[in-house]
Amino acid sequence: MASINVYSTLVVLFITCGATMATKENDHIIKENNCETKTGLACVLEYFTSIFETLSISNKCCGERVVLGKVCHSALVKRTLENPLFKHLSPATIIAKSIQTWNNCLALIDSSSPSS
């Protein structure tokens, strides 16, 4: 439970302070695509917890992430890695986990959508 509170705090810091720490390219992508406004805070927390702690993610939040799009997903993950709070993490590991989570969400959404 304390772990979720720590990640909640980190995500809030990420959302409120991240823009000043992002590279211009990621910042531009995030602003241009309104990446931060397309997902609710609960799903942001769930999504990043699934990457950083390898917990599962709900269908609802997977759906929101897929609608958000790969461009936003990648820019937000890269910006998180640029944040000094996460400097102790291996970028290669986090990027691999984020790709795995993205692919899992795509598969989940594909399997739950009705056949045409």
Side-chain angles (χ1 to χ4, degrees), residues 69-97:
K70 181 74 170 172
V71 170
C72 282
H73 166 77
S74 295
L76 290 168
V77 170
K78 287 176 186 174
R79 184 169 79 180
T80 301
L81 288 171
E82 293 165 352
N83 188 316
L85 293 171
F86 299 100
K87 69 181 177 186
H88 65 284
L89 300 174
S90 162
T93 301
I94 297 304
I95 289 170
K97 286 182 180 180

Side-chain angles (χ1 to χ4, degrees), residues 2 16-18 23 34 36 47 49 63-64 73 91 96 100 104 108 115:
T16 58
C17 302
T23 62
N34 297 316
E36 293 177 318
Y47 198 81
T49 302
E64 282 191 21
H73 166 77
Q100 180 182 13
N104 290 345
L108 183 67
S115 299

Side-chain angles (χ1 to χ4, degrees), residues 23-33:
T23 62
K24 289 182 182 181
E25 180 183 352
N26 286 331
D27 194 38
H28 176 73
I29 291 168
I30 290 165
K31 285 181 181 177
E32 184 178 89
N33 293 289

Side-chain angles (χ1 to χ4, degrees), residues 14-66:
F14 161 72
I15 290 171
T16 58
C17 302
T20 60
M21 298 176 196
T23 62
K24 289 182 182 181
E25 180 183 352
N26 286 331
D27 194 38
H28 176 73
I29 291 168
I30 290 165
K31 285 181 181 177
E32 184 178 89
N33 293 289
N34 297 316
C35 298
E36 293 177 318
T37 61
K38 292 180 180 178
T39 304
L41 182 58
C43 283
V44 170
L45 291 171
E46 189 175 311
Y47 198 81
F48 279 94
T49 302
S50 75
I51 293 171
F52 292 103
E53 292 189 0
T54 59
L55 297 175
S56 61
I57 183 169
S58 68
N59 290 4
K60 176 188 178 283
C61 292
C62 267
E64 282 191 21
R65 184 54 68 148
V66 170

